[in-house]
């Protein structure tokens, strides 16, 4: 049980851990998107063709993302806990008023992260979607729920 004396220290330690976990601006699966090797399954070869046809665009967009991250990291003193997806679907009405829910995308970042139109954060979401779906199709897959991932990959890559 947390005592009144230990509470601030525990909260500070927790915040430090969260900050360390989310400090890296690296997009997991980036290599899978840029040097794609298809996995066995109904979307592997299609994903390979799509990513190869847009390889130059993907490389340019990842370089743009890297430059934006470089600039943003110069302003670390402005970083706060951010939600990542503050839209009406992530709110809930309670007795005490509306609350922001679904904090699975929380990060320590600039407050502007919660303003989607800013290029760095919008680009991060889109490149992350490409990397995640590329990783999915580089592995053996059965096609069960992969059709939705294929739609995400096509729409996002073609929109970049």
């Amino acid at each position: 049980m947390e005592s009144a004396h230990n509470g601030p220290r525990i909260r500070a330690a927790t915040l430090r851990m969260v900050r360390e976990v989310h400090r890296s601006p690296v997009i997991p699966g980036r290599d899978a998107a840029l040097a794609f090797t298809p996995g066995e399954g109904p979307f592997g070869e299609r994903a390979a063709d799509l990513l190869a046809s847009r390889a130059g665009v993907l490389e340019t967009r990842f370089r743009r993302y890297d430059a934006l991250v470089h600039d943003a990291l110069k302003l670390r003193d402005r970083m706060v806990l951010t939600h990542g997806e503050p839209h009406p679907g992530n709110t809930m009405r309670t007795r005490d008023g509306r609350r922001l829910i679904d904090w699975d995308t929380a990060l320590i970042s600039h407050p502007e992260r919660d303003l989607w139109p800013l290029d760095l954060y919008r680009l991060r979401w889109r490149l992350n979607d490409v990397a995640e779906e590329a990783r999915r199709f580089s592995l053996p897959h059965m096609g069960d729920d992969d059709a939705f991932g294929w739609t995400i990959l096509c729409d996002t890559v073609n929109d970049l």
Side-chain angles (χ1 to χ4, degrees), residues 17-25 81 104-109:
M17 287 188 300
V18 169
R19 187 179 303 129
E20 289 304 314
V21 166
H22 296 298
R23 185 168 293 234
S24 175
L81 181 63
D104 65 317
T105 57
L107 292 175
I108 300 296
S109 188

Side-chain angles (χ1 to χ4, degrees), residues 17-57:
M17 287 188 300
V18 169
R19 187 179 303 129
E20 289 304 314
V21 166
H22 296 298
R23 185 168 293 234
S24 175
V26 174
I27 295 175
R30 175 184 186 146
D31 293 340
L34 293 175
F36 185 76
T37 303
E40 290 184 32
F43 295 99
E45 290 299 327
R46 286 189 263 180
D49 292 343
L50 174 66
L51 294 170
S53 73
R54 303 285 288 169
V57 171

Side-chain angles (χ1 to χ4, degrees), residues 12-141:
T14 302
L15 185 57
R16 279 194 302 278
M17 287 188 300
V18 169
R19 187 179 303 129
E20 289 304 314
V21 166
H22 296 298
R23 185 168 293 234
S24 175
V26 174
I27 295 175
R30 175 184 186 146
D31 293 340
L34 293 175
F36 185 76
T37 303
E40 290 184 32
F43 295 99
E45 290 299 327
R46 286 189 263 180
D49 292 343
L50 174 66
L51 294 170
S53 73
R54 303 285 288 169
V57 171
L58 288 170
E59 289 171 9
T60 299
R61 299 310 285 159
F62 273 110
R63 278 196 306 275
R64 172 71 178 144
Y65 171 76
D66 292 341
L68 290 168
V69 165
H70 180 267
D71 291 344
L73 289 176
K74 293 177 187 174
L75 305 170
R76 284 184 191 241
D77 60 323
R78 294 186 56 247
M79 292 185 168
V80 297
L81 181 63
T82 61
H83 182 275
E85 293 184 284
H87 58 75
N90 280 336
T91 64
M92 177 181 281
R93 188 183 325 232
T94 69
R95 285 188 311 238
D96 300 322
R98 290 211 169 266
R99 297 289 182 254
L100 195 55
I101 62 169
D102 193 12
W103 284 82
D104 65 317
T105 57
L107 292 175
I108 300 296
S109 188
H110 302 94
E112 294 84 0
R113 176 175 180 258
D114 283 335
L115 303 172
W116 278 75
L118 294 178
D119 198 29
L120 170 60
Y121 305 106
R122 183 179 62 239
L123 187 55
R124 166 70 188 222
W125 277 102
R126 293 163 74 201
L127 291 174
N128 192 71
D129 283 348
V130 170
E132 188 174 310
E133 297 307 328
R135 190 184 73 68
R136 174 200 304 243
F137 298 129
S138 70
L139 301 171
H141 55 283

